[in-house]
Amino acid sequence: MSEPASVPPPEAAKASFRARAALLKRLADIVSLPASRVNAFERAMTGDLLVEMLSLASPEERKRVAIRLTPLAELPNSLLRLLLRDDAEIAGPLIEGCLALNDADLCACAADTGTEHRLIMAGRRGISEVVTESLIAFDEPAVIHALLRNTTAKLSQPGIDAVVSLSRKVPELCEHLLRRPELRPSGAYVMFWWCGPDYRKTILQRFAVSREVLQEVSEDVFGMAAAENWQDPVSRKALQFIERRQRNRAAIEKSPYDNLEHAVSEAAKAGLTSGLAAEMAYLAGIKPLTGAKILGDVGGEPLAILCKATGMTRFDLENLWRSLRRPLADAAGEPHPDWARVQMIFEMLAVDRAQTVLRYWNWSLSSAMSPALIKAIRAGDEEALDQYSAPERAAMLALAEDFGR
């Protein structure tokens, strides 16, 4: 019994596939021709025909065409859209190296495909801030890891802020964030609260900057503000950040303790109470909320920053450590690792740089607080971060766990 006439014999089928492969190659060659050989309309027409053929072609054929088109600086948009949304193995060469792709193409690809495509895109050379923001928005740790490791990628400040926020849940991102040149002190200081000991040390070494330049240019402004009786809240707040003096003289005059050292000494003897902790915060020139965050930190490094910024000695640091009932030695009688690390941080930091960190924390953790922000923190409304200022965002991130307890 003979085969039906509608089914081509095997040899004819092979010839048909050879013809298809040849035609796909010729059409791809036409699309690849320079503008001097083919005009925009001819290129677009050829691209439309390629789209029709590729939609029915095998994965191997689509991959060959994608590789052939990758080096081109100009391609029909319909053809690009089809290939970019294909399997990651097929779209990969184009995503990695096609010069014809613009930011709109890459962002649309990120939105219409999956993690595999976005992972390839994160490694593309020279991707812009627009593209990196679109990738970061998916909150995919693997993609963000690849993006942070891509030294040619450009990250915007909102993008960096979003990664800093994500690093609270994915601490592994901290290491790569600290290597990015786009990271600023505002992001580093808030990330400090959930970083490991080594990364905390890196943050203090790199971002604990001096305020010397600010102090020099504003030296005469302090006299102007004093003559105005400090009535302008805008300049008063900025000058409080800049000034050299850390301790609160007005609080010292009202305090039942002679000075901050006296309060710390009493805490070491009798134990730290909430009232004494608040009093110490006032004497140190910070708000009780900031003081509570510092005293409650598990690692202990903020204690060293508080003591150095306020001019206290290592003896006072030890008293503060004792007041929290933290161990000074381990079971073998050697200095406890936490205590040794905190002492090292204390010796490492200069007073002015420690003040910069402390004042930023105080600014972001207390001065920026408002009823609306506290409500957002308690509700875990991190998606609304963009509507808040930099210190408000820092407060939302740093205090999220405290308010959630």
Side-chain angles (χ1 to χ4, degrees):
M1 184 175 177
S2 61
E3 291 182 343
S6 59
V7 178
E11 290 303 318
K14 290 180 182 179
S16 172
F17 287 129
R18 286 197 299 269
R20 181 198 297 180
L23 185 55
L24 284 171
K25 183 178 184 303
R26 305 288 170 79
L27 294 177
D29 288 342
I30 292 174
V31 171
S32 305
L33 290 172
S36 59
R37 295 284 305 279
V38 58
N39 64 42
F41 295 150
E42 291 170 329
R43 194 188 307 276
M45 177 185 64
T46 307
D48 291 340
L49 185 55
L50 261 178
V51 168
E52 288 298 316
M53 291 190 67
L54 289 174
S55 62
L56 301 172
S58 67
E60 292 78 10
E61 290 168 330
R62 298 197 302 274
K63 185 175 181 180
R64 280 198 294 269
V65 171
I67 292 173
R68 174 70 181 87
L69 301 178
T70 293
L72 303 183
E74 185 178 351
L75 282 174
N77 188 262
S78 58
L79 184 57
L80 268 180
R81 288 181 62 83
L82 175 74
L83 291 173
L84 288 177
R85 286 155 182 76
D86 210 321
D87 295 339
E89 185 181 356
I90 296 168
L94 286 168
I95 296 174
E96 284 180 337
C98 184
L99 299 177
L101 297 179
N102 56 35
D103 288 352
D105 295 325
L106 291 169
C107 290
C109 176
D112 297 341
T113 57
T115 302
E116 286 186 89
H117 290 70
R118 291 189 284 269
L119 194 57
I120 297 170
M121 196 181 301
R124 179 183 169 94
R125 288 189 60 81
I127 47 177
S128 71
E129 293 90 343
V130 173
V131 178
T132 56
E133 276 194 41
S134 71
L135 291 173
I136 290 169
F138 290 94
D139 282 353
E140 295 169 324
V143 174
I144 296 176
H145 270 293
L147 195 60
L148 294 176
R149 289 194 298 266
N150 184 351
T151 57
T152 68
K154 299 176 181 177
L155 302 180
S156 65
Q157 202 55 49
I160 282 287
D161 291 342
V163 180
V164 168
S165 174
L166 183 61
S167 72
R168 183 163 59 89
K169 300 175 182 176
V170 188
E172 296 80 13
L173 293 174
C174 294
E175 176 184 0
H176 302 292
L177 263 170
L178 289 172
R179 294 175 180 170
R180 295 298 308 194
E182 300 93 343
L183 183 64
R184 295 292 178 263
S186 58
Y189 292 157
V190 69
M191 193 169 68
F192 180 95
W193 293 109
W194 53 81
C195 276
D198 291 340
Y199 302 140
R200 284 184 165 192
K201 181 180 177 183
T202 300
I203 288 172
L204 295 175
Q205 288 174 326
R206 181 178 170 191
F207 295 100
V209 295
S210 170
R211 290 164 296 123
E212 186 176 351
V213 173
L214 294 176
Q215 291 163 354
E216 287 178 356
V217 300
S218 58
E219 188 173 358
D220 60 325
V221 181
F222 285 92
M224 299 178 193
E228 296 170 355
N229 201 26
W230 303 95
Q231 293 183 1
D232 176 24
V234 177
S235 60
R236 184 177 67 245
K237 187 175 180 180
L239 290 173
Q240 284 172 346
F241 182 86
I242 296 171
E243 70 172 330
R244 291 182 172 85
R245 186 179 67 249
Q246 175 61 49
R247 302 194 190 192
N248 186 337
R249 292 179 180 176
I252 294 172
E253 293 176 359
K254 299 176 183 178
S255 176
Y257 303 98
D258 297 337
N259 49 39
L260 180 57
E261 288 84 353
H262 184 199
V264 170
S265 176
E266 289 299 312
K269 294 175 184 176
L272 189 63
T273 64
S274 58
L276 185 49
E279 185 66 23
M280 285 162 50
Y282 287 127
L283 293 171
I286 58 177
K287 299 293 178 64
L289 182 62
T290 309
K293 183 70 176 175
I294 290 172
L295 295 173
D297 182 79
V298 175
E301 291 92 343
L303 298 176
I305 295 169
L306 173 65
C307 288
K308 181 53 74 83
T310 54
M312 288 195 284
T313 65
R314 183 187 287 190
F315 176 74
D316 300 312
L317 174 61
E318 182 175 332
N319 275 337
L320 186 57
W321 191 261
R322 289 178 184 277
S323 74
L324 295 168
R325 302 298 184 256
R326 305 286 295 267
L328 290 167
D330 59 19
E334 297 294 325
H336 192 279
D338 289 346
W339 172 235
R341 186 180 63 254
V342 168
Q343 290 182 91
M344 181 270 294
I345 294 295
F346 179 83
E347 297 298 338
M348 179 187 81
L349 275 180
V351 173
D352 184 48
R353 295 173 187 269
Q355 287 180 353
T356 299
V357 179
L358 183 62
R359 292 182 189 189
Y360 185 85
W361 284 344
N362 192 55
W363 176 40
S364 62
L365 298 184
S366 56
S367 299
M369 296 299 286
S370 65
L373 182 60
I374 293 174
K375 182 178 179 181
I377 293 172
R378 285 176 171 156
D381 189 15
E382 294 181 28
E383 294 181 0
L385 278 176
D386 286 345
Q387 65 182 289
Y388 298 108
S389 67
E392 287 174 330
R393 289 197 299 270
M396 177 175 282
L397 294 172
L399 297 173
E401 293 182 1
D402 299 86
F403 276 83
R405 289 174 185 168

PDB file of all heavy atoms in Angstrom, residues 368-380:
ATOM      1  N   ALA A 368      13.605  62.048  62.508  1.00  0.00           N
ATOM      2  CA  ALA A 368      12.748  61.872  61.339  1.00  0.00           C
ATOM      3  C   ALA A 368      11.440  61.169  61.669  1.00  0.00           C
ATOM      4  O   ALA A 368      10.578  61.023  60.817  1.00  0.00           O
ATOM      5  CB  ALA A 368      13.499  61.075  60.265  1.00  0.00           C
ATOM      6  N   MET A 369      11.290  60.704  62.918  1.00  0.00           N
ATOM      7  CA  MET A 369      10.099  59.944  63.260  1.00  0.00           C
ATOM      8  C   MET A 369       8.866  60.828  63.291  1.00  0.00           C
ATOM      9  O   MET A 369       8.892  61.968  63.721  1.00  0.00           O
ATOM     10  CB  MET A 369      10.282  59.268  64.626  1.00  0.00           C
ATOM     11  CG  MET A 369      11.398  58.246  64.646  1.00  0.00           C
ATOM     12  SD  MET A 369      11.150  56.896  63.497  1.00  0.00           S
ATOM     13  CE  MET A 369       9.863  56.005  64.354  1.00  0.00           C
ATOM     14  N   SER A 370       7.782  60.299  62.814  1.00  0.00           N
ATOM     15  CA  SER A 370       6.501  60.985  62.829  1.00  0.00           C
ATOM     16  C   SER A 370       5.431  59.922  63.072  1.00  0.00           C
ATOM     17  O   SER A 370       5.661  58.729  62.859  1.00  0.00           O
ATOM     18  CB  SER A 370       6.244  61.692  61.496  1.00  0.00           C
ATOM     19  OG  SER A 370       6.118  60.736  60.449  1.00  0.00           O
ATOM     20  N   PRO A 371       4.226  60.329  63.497  1.00  0.00           N
ATOM     21  CA  PRO A 371       3.166  59.325  63.694  1.00  0.00           C
ATOM     22  C   PRO A 371       2.886  58.495  62.447  1.00  0.00           C
ATOM     23  O   PRO A 371       2.668  57.291  62.531  1.00  0.00           O
ATOM     24  CB  PRO A 371       1.955  60.192  64.082  1.00  0.00           C
ATOM     25  CG  PRO A 371       2.558  61.413  64.705  1.00  0.00           C
ATOM     26  CD  PRO A 371       3.822  61.665  63.938  1.00  0.00           C
ATOM     27  N   ALA A 372       2.915  59.160  61.273  1.00  0.00           N
ATOM     28  CA  ALA A 372       2.657  58.431  60.023  1.00  0.00           C
ATOM     29  C   ALA A 372       3.751  57.405  59.744  1.00  0.00           C
ATOM     30  O   ALA A 372       3.480  56.282  59.303  1.00  0.00           O
ATOM     31  CB  ALA A 372       2.553  59.420  58.860  1.00  0.00           C
ATOM     32  N   LEU A 373       4.994  57.801  60.036  1.00  0.00           N
ATOM     33  CA  LEU A 373       6.109  56.885  59.785  1.00  0.00           C
ATOM     34  C   LEU A 373       6.066  55.713  60.759  1.00  0.00           C
ATOM     35  O   LEU A 373       6.302  54.567  60.376  1.00  0.00           O
ATOM     36  CB  LEU A 373       7.439  57.630  59.910  1.00  0.00           C
ATOM     37  CG  LEU A 373       8.703  56.800  59.627  1.00  0.00           C
ATOM     38  CD1 LEU A 373       8.679  56.247  58.216  1.00  0.00           C
ATOM     39  CD2 LEU A 373       9.950  57.636  59.839  1.00  0.00           C
ATOM     40  N   ILE A 374       5.776  55.981  62.028  1.00  0.00           N
ATOM     41  CA  ILE A 374       5.673  54.902  63.017  1.00  0.00           C
ATOM     42  C   ILE A 374       4.578  53.910  62.609  1.00  0.00           C
ATOM     43  O   ILE A 374       4.745  52.693  62.700  1.00  0.00           O
ATOM     44  CB  ILE A 374       5.386  55.482  64.417  1.00  0.00           C
ATOM     45  CG1 ILE A 374       6.610  56.278  64.910  1.00  0.00           C
ATOM     46  CG2 ILE A 374       5.037  54.376  65.403  1.00  0.00           C
ATOM     47  CD1 ILE A 374       6.368  57.007  66.205  1.00  0.00           C
ATOM     48  N   LYS A 375       3.460  54.443  62.113  1.00  0.00           N
ATOM     49  CA  LYS A 375       2.374  53.575  61.654  1.00  0.00           C
ATOM     50  C   LYS A 375       2.826  52.717  60.476  1.00  0.00           C
ATOM     51  O   LYS A 375       2.518  51.521  60.404  1.00  0.00           O
ATOM     52  CB  LYS A 375       1.170  54.435  61.257  1.00  0.00           C
ATOM     53  CG  LYS A 375      -0.039  53.618  60.818  1.00  0.00           C
ATOM     54  CD  LYS A 375      -1.217  54.532  60.475  1.00  0.00           C
ATOM     55  CE  LYS A 375      -2.415  53.720  60.009  1.00  0.00           C
ATOM     56  NZ  LYS A 375      -3.564  54.595  59.648  1.00  0.00           N
ATOM     57  N   ALA A 376       3.582  53.333  59.557  1.00  0.00           N
ATOM     58  CA  ALA A 376       4.069  52.587  58.389  1.00  0.00           C
ATOM     59  C   ALA A 376       5.052  51.506  58.798  1.00  0.00           C
ATOM     60  O   ALA A 376       5.050  50.399  58.257  1.00  0.00           O
ATOM     61  CB  ALA A 376       4.723  53.546  57.391  1.00  0.00           C
ATOM     62  N   ILE A 377       5.915  51.814  59.793  1.00  0.00           N
ATOM     63  CA  ILE A 377       6.881  50.818  60.272  1.00  0.00           C
ATOM     64  C   ILE A 377       6.149  49.640  60.898  1.00  0.00           C
ATOM     65  O   ILE A 377       6.442  48.480  60.623  1.00  0.00           O
ATOM     66  CB  ILE A 377       7.839  51.455  61.295  1.00  0.00           C
ATOM     67  CG1 ILE A 377       8.741  52.496  60.607  1.00  0.00           C
ATOM     68  CG2 ILE A 377       8.703  50.396  61.972  1.00  0.00           C
ATOM     69  CD1 ILE A 377       9.573  53.290  61.581  1.00  0.00           C
ATOM     70  N   ARG A 378       5.161  49.947  61.731  1.00  0.00           N
ATOM     71  CA  ARG A 378       4.424  48.868  62.402  1.00  0.00           C
ATOM     72  C   ARG A 378       3.649  48.021  61.398  1.00  0.00           C
ATOM     73  O   ARG A 378       3.466  46.823  61.596  1.00  0.00           O
ATOM     74  CB  ARG A 378       3.467  49.469  63.440  1.00  0.00           C
ATOM     75  CG  ARG A 378       4.203  49.961  64.693  1.00  0.00           C
ATOM     76  CD  ARG A 378       3.278  50.640  65.664  1.00  0.00           C
ATOM     77  NE  ARG A 378       3.949  50.903  66.930  1.00  0.00           N
ATOM     78  CZ  ARG A 378       3.577  51.843  67.778  1.00  0.00           C
ATOM     79  NH1 ARG A 378       2.558  52.625  67.503  1.00  0.00           N
ATOM     80  NH2 ARG A 378       4.240  52.014  68.911  1.00  0.00           N
ATOM     81  N   ALA A 379       3.187  48.667  60.317  1.00  0.00           N
ATOM     82  CA  ALA A 379       2.431  47.935  59.298  1.00  0.00           C
ATOM     83  C   ALA A 379       3.341  47.212  58.322  1.00  0.00           C
ATOM     84  O   ALA A 379       2.865  46.465  57.467  1.00  0.00           O
ATOM     85  CB  ALA A 379       1.508  48.900  58.543  1.00  0.00           C
ATOM     86  N   GLY A 380       4.665  47.444  58.431  1.00  0.00           N
ATOM     87  CA  GLY A 380       5.596  46.813  57.498  1.00  0.00           C
ATOM     88  C   GLY A 380       5.445  47.344  56.087  1.00  0.00           C
ATOM     89  O   GLY A 380       5.685  46.628  55.109  1.00  0.00           O
TER      90      GLY A 380
END
